[in-house]
Amino acid sequence: MSFLFGKRKTPAELLRENKRMLDKSIREIERERQGLQTQEKKLITEMKKSAKQGQMGAVKVMAKDLIRTRHQIEKFYKLKSQLQGVSLRIQTLKSTQAMGEAMKGVTKAMGQMNRQMNLPSLQKIMQEFERQNEKMEMVTEVMGDAIDDALEGDEEEEETEELVNQVLDEIGIDINQELVNAPSTAVAAPAAKGKVAHAEATGNDDSGIDSELQARLDNLRKM
C-alpha cells in the first residue's frame, strides 16, 4: 500500500521484505514440526500402554493418528526445504543486484578517468622522457670517457715506474746510482729524444681526445 502515499519501494527493499517473510514462515513451520514430533512420541507411549492393558481398539485408532502425524511431519520437512530454496534464490538475487550496482559505479568511474586522460599529451610526455633519458646517458658516457682519459696516463705512468723499480730491486740494481755514473751526454741525448717523442705522442693523443669529445658535445647540443 506504500504506492498510494507516493512512496515506492526499491527492488532491494522488496527483496529484503520478502526474504524476511520467508524466514518467518520457515520458523513457524519448524515450530509446527517440532510440535508434531512431540505428539508422535506421546502417541507411541500411549499405544504401548494401551497394548499392555489389552485395549486393541484404542491401539488401532492411535496407530492411524500416528501415521497421519508422521505424514504431516514429512510434509513440513518438504515445505521447509522448498521455502529455504526460495529464500536462497532471493539472497542470490540480492547479491546479484549489489554486484550490478558496484559494477555500474566502477564503470562510471572508469569512464570519467578515461575522459580525463589525454592520450596525445601522454605520448608527447613519453617521447620527451625518452629523449631526455638518452641525452642524460650520452652526457654520462662523455663525462666518464673524459675522466678515464684524463686519469689513464697518470695511473699508467705510476704503475710503470713502480714495476721498473720492483724489477731493478729484484736484480740488485740502483737506478739512481746508474744515472749518476752514466756519462752526461749519453744520458742527455736519449732523454731529449724521449721527451720530444713523448710530447709528440701526447699532442696527437690530446688532439684525438679533444676532437672526439667535441663531436659528442656537438651531438648533445643538437638534441
Side-chain angles (χ1 to χ4, degrees):
M1 297 296 292
S2 59
F3 64 89
L4 295 177
F5 299 97
K7 183 181 179 181
R8 190 166 184 171
K9 294 183 179 179
T10 62
E13 291 176 347
L14 291 174
L15 288 174
R16 185 164 52 250
E17 182 178 351
N18 291 328
K19 188 175 186 304
R20 187 162 50 246
M21 293 174 60
L22 283 172
D23 292 339
K24 182 179 179 181
S25 299
I26 291 173
R27 288 193 298 269
E28 291 177 355
I29 290 173
E30 184 65 17
R31 283 196 296 268
E32 292 292 335
R33 183 187 61 80
Q34 290 177 356
L36 289 175
Q37 286 181 338
T38 302
Q39 184 179 353
E40 178 186 10
K41 292 179 181 179
K42 289 181 178 179
L43 285 173
I44 294 174
T45 302
E46 291 179 0
M47 285 176 62
K48 290 180 179 179
K49 183 178 180 182
S50 299
K52 289 180 180 180
Q53 294 176 356
Q55 300 176 359
M56 299 307 298
V59 171
K60 290 181 180 180
V61 173
M62 287 187 289
K64 291 181 181 180
D65 194 8
L66 179 60
I67 292 173
R68 287 193 296 267
T69 301
R70 288 179 174 177
H71 287 168
Q72 193 65 28
I73 291 173
E74 185 178 356
K75 288 180 181 180
F76 278 138
Y77 271 122
K78 292 180 180 179
L79 183 58
K80 179 184 176 182
S81 177
Q82 293 173 353
L83 290 178
Q84 286 177 340
V86 175
S87 178
L88 182 60
R89 291 288 184 88
I90 291 177
Q91 183 63 37
T92 303
L93 287 174
K94 186 178 178 181
S95 301
T96 304
Q97 184 189 15
M99 183 179 66
E101 292 294 331
M103 293 298 295
K104 181 180 178 181
V106 171
T107 303
K108 184 178 180 180
M110 290 177 65
Q112 292 177 353
M113 292 179 63
N114 288 329
R115 284 192 295 270
Q116 292 177 358
M117 293 177 64
N118 189 349
L119 187 57
S121 176
L122 289 176
Q123 290 178 345
K124 290 181 181 180
I125 292 173
M126 295 305 298
Q127 290 175 358
E128 180 66 18
F129 172 78
E130 184 177 359
R131 190 172 70 87
Q132 294 297 332
N133 188 39
E134 183 178 355
K135 183 177 180 180
M136 183 184 66
E137 290 180 356
M138 292 183 65
V139 170
T140 304
E141 184 179 357
V142 170
M143 292 180 63
D145 292 343
I147 293 173
D148 292 340
D149 293 338
L151 299 178
E152 183 178 2
D154 295 338
E155 292 178 357
E156 290 182 355
E157 186 69 24
E158 292 177 0
E159 292 178 359
T160 302
E161 186 176 356
E162 290 178 0
L163 183 60
V164 170
N165 291 331
Q166 181 180 357
V167 172
L168 294 177
D169 289 339
E170 291 178 358
I171 62 178
I173 298 176
D174 188 355
I175 188 171
N176 293 325
Q177 186 64 32
E178 291 294 331
L179 291 175
V180 170
N181 295 333
S184 59
T185 57
V187 173
K193 293 181 181 179
K195 289 181 179 180
V196 173
H198 180 70
E200 293 178 354
T202 304
N204 293 332
D205 293 341
D206 292 341
S207 62
I209 294 172
D210 292 339
S211 62
E212 184 178 357
L213 290 175
Q214 187 64 38
R216 293 188 178 184
L217 291 174
D218 291 339
N219 289 332
L220 290 175
R221 293 192 185 97
K222 294 178 182 178
M223 296 183 66

